[in-house]
Amino acid sequence: MVGKRLATKMGIWKRARKVNVKQGDGSILSGGNYVVNSSFRVYSKSSLLGKFSLDAEVLDIGKKDVILGVSWLVENRFMVDTQERC
């Protein structure tokens, strides 16, 4: 998910119909009628760690810019230790 402020900076396009997004706690965020299709780079100090695609729903997520789900992290080969998360 991407916040509206960041999505505007990245460039957004309107989807044909609204979608609902199920969150990790089981609650539903509705009204995601915009999507951002872009890419971003991750740096550590001055070295590039990687470039990643981002196809994300644009929703009101408060002051957060982006929320990356576990499925996105796994798909992009990030280590996810679910036992130590809580």
Side-chain angles (χ1 to χ4, degrees):
M1 288 179 269
V2 174
K4 291 178 182 179
R5 182 182 53 169
L6 180 62
T8 301
K9 287 182 183 179
M10 295 175 79
I12 57 174
W13 58 273
K14 190 167 178 72
R15 113 179 3 261
R17 59 188 166 95
K18 292 183 179 184
V19 297
N20 295 321
V21 177
K22 186 175 181 180
Q23 299 185 94
D25 66 0
S27 64
I28 302 289
L29 286 175
S30 61
N33 58 339
Y34 287 92
V35 69
V36 64
N37 291 49
S38 190
S39 63
F40 63 96
R41 292 181 177 99
V42 177
Y43 293 89
S44 173
K45 297 185 182 177
S46 62
S47 69
L48 177 65
L49 295 177
K51 183 177 178 181
F52 302 94
S53 298
L54 182 66
D55 300 329
E57 301 298 327
V58 178
L59 297 161
D60 185 5
I61 55 175
K63 294 183 179 186
K64 298 174 183 74
D65 286 328
V66 80
I67 299 173
L68 301 173
V70 172
S71 60
W72 186 92
L73 294 168
V74 169
E75 180 181 312
N76 287 281
R77 299 187 180 149
F78 284 85
M79 296 288 290
V80 179
D81 185 352
T82 56
Q83 300 234 331
E84 297 294 322
R85 278 181 28 176
C86 300

